[in-house]
Each structure stands twice: as structure tokens, then as C-alpha cells.
């Protein structure tokens, strides 16, 4: 699994504390070269996964 270089961790304004999107290229048993997209919401001093999409 690797973070795609065109996917910087850029916070985006959204209620209540913003979010960011991270994209990974990864391989699954039935899907090689998949792109996994995580939406992460700001929570306290860290981030939590708010959504996931696999293409």
C-alpha cells in the first residue's frame, strides 16, 4: 500500500472542525491496483475515519 503523491493532506473546511482526504494505491485478493480513498474528520488532537471508498 502506498500514499499517492498527488494526494496531499490538505485540511478542508467543513463543520464542525474540517476534514481531509487521503488516497492509497493498494492490492486486494480480487482487485489489484485499487485506489482506496479515506475521508478523515478532525476530532480533538487527531483524525478519525469518516468514510472509505474503494475504486
Amino acid at each position: 500500500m502506498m500514499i499517492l503523491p498527488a494526494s496531499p493532506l490538505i485540511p478542508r473546511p467543513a463543520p464542525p472542525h474540517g476534514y481531509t482526504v487521503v488516497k492509497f494505491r493498494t492490492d486486494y485478493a480480487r482487485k489489484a491496483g485499487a485506489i482506496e480513498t479515506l475521508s478523515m474528520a478532525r476530532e480533538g488532537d487527531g483524525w478519525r475515519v469518516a468514510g472509505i471508498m474503494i475504486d
Side-chain angles (χ1 to χ4, degrees), residues 23-41:
K23 291 189 176 190
F24 298 91
R25 182 182 318 275
T26 190
D27 293 319
Y28 292 99
R30 295 186 179 180
K31 188 167 187 148
I35 303 296
E36 187 172 347
T37 304
L38 299 176
S39 296
M40 301 178 72

Side-chain angles (χ1 to χ4, degrees), residues 41-55:
R42 189 76 153 145
E43 189 173 275
D45 291 338
W47 297 90
R48 70 171 178 81
V49 175
I52 184 170
M53 183 173 66
I54 300 171
D55 290 319

Side-chain angles (χ1 to χ4, degrees), residues 6-29:
S7 175
L9 294 173
I10 300 171
R12 292 164 170 84
H17 304 292
Y19 74 99
T20 193
V21 174
V22 181
K23 291 189 176 190
F24 298 91
R25 182 182 318 275
T26 190
D27 293 319
Y28 292 99

